[in-house]
Amino acid sequence: MATRTSPRLILLDSCSYFRLGISFRPILYRLTGDPEYVLKVLPELDDEFQRNSRLKTKFWWASQNEHREERATNRCKLTGHKAHAAKLAYTYIRQYAVDNNSTVSPIDIKVLSAARVLDGIVVTDDVGMQGISDAFSIPCFSTLDLLKLFHERDKASPSEIDSLLAYWEYEKDIPTSYVAIKVWRAGL
């Protein structure tokens, strides 16, 4: 089996970015270790943020310069044949979502399409996205999986995880993996 020479892409969906980005700075970076990962978002995340007043109000911190600059320098860019392949993947995944009455958004389908083409891992707690990722053999992490990876790589201490959980409770923005995260955290 060949050894991977470049880091494996981890692509955060918008919910994961907004849930984690305030607590872990930077959130988009190269995560060293074995294997090595690089965390990115799609440029469409900023488009979605700018169009949605609820997001701009709830996640006000994302409009600060440091966060905007971090997203701008850590965007997953598709060009050439990869961009074409992602458009084709988008068409198939969107049709699958329609056929299966999924409520997955067009931006979420773009995240899945990019991950499929780039052999990346999607981070999401969206059950619809997780189901589509299974159907198309796209590796998928929940927030819990990413937090475990952060903890293993000394990116997240137990107290930082506690602060994150308290923030989610305060904001009433609880991911589907919340109970599993609390159980895992209790064992640290």
Side-chain angles (χ1 to χ4, degrees):
M1 182 157 110
T3 310
R4 183 180 284 271
T5 57
S6 59
R8 179 91 186 260
L9 172 68
I10 295 179
L11 199 54
L12 280 72
D13 77 344
S14 54
C15 287
S16 297
Y17 173 78
F18 290 123
R19 283 187 178 131
L20 297 169
I22 192 171
S23 298
F24 298 102
R25 294 184 192 169
I27 186 72
L28 306 173
Y29 66 101
R30 180 176 238 125
L31 188 58
T32 58
D34 187 24
E36 191 172 41
Y37 297 99
V38 62
L39 285 80
K40 295 193 177 271
V41 293
L42 289 182
E44 287 83 357
L45 183 138
D46 280 316
D47 299 336
E48 178 181 23
F49 182 70
Q50 290 306 317
R51 283 192 317 265
N52 190 318
S53 59
R54 184 187 67 79
L55 289 177
K56 286 195 285 191
T57 301
K58 187 170 186 172
F59 303 107
W60 55 269
W61 55 267
S63 63
Q64 294 176 332
N65 283 338
E66 71 176 292
H67 295 285
R68 283 197 330 256
E69 290 170 10
E70 179 187 19
R71 289 190 308 274
T73 58
N74 292 286
R75 289 183 178 143
C76 179
K77 298 175 185 115
L78 293 158
T79 58
H81 74 280
K82 295 285 188 184
H84 179 71
K87 285 179 184 176
L88 287 174
Y90 179 90
T91 301
Y92 290 113
I93 293 171
R94 185 189 57 167
Q95 189 59 53
Y96 178 87
V98 168
D99 292 347
N100 289 278
N101 299 313
S102 175
T103 58
V104 174
S105 76
I107 291 173
D108 290 337
I109 294 172
K110 285 184 179 184
V111 170
L112 290 162
S113 301
R116 176 79 172 113
V117 167
L118 298 172
D119 190 31
I121 300 166
V122 172
V123 177
T124 186
D125 284 309
D126 183 293
V127 174
M129 284 183 75
Q130 291 170 345
I132 291 172
S133 72
D134 284 346
F136 285 87
S137 300
I138 301 166
C140 187
F141 281 1
S142 67
T143 303
L144 172 60
D145 297 322
L146 188 60
L147 286 174
K148 284 179 178 179
L149 183 62
F150 280 1
H151 180 69
E152 290 167 6
R153 305 284 174 92
D154 295 323
K155 171 70 175 161
S157 69
S159 64
E160 289 171 317
I161 294 166
D162 290 341
S163 294
L164 176 66
L165 295 173
Y167 169 71
W168 289 345
E169 290 166 4
Y170 174 78
E171 288 291 328
K172 296 177 179 52
D173 185 27
I174 307 296
T176 57
S177 60
Y178 178 78
V179 172
I181 293 168
K182 294 263 306 187
V183 169
W184 168 73
R185 168 54 191 102
L188 290 181

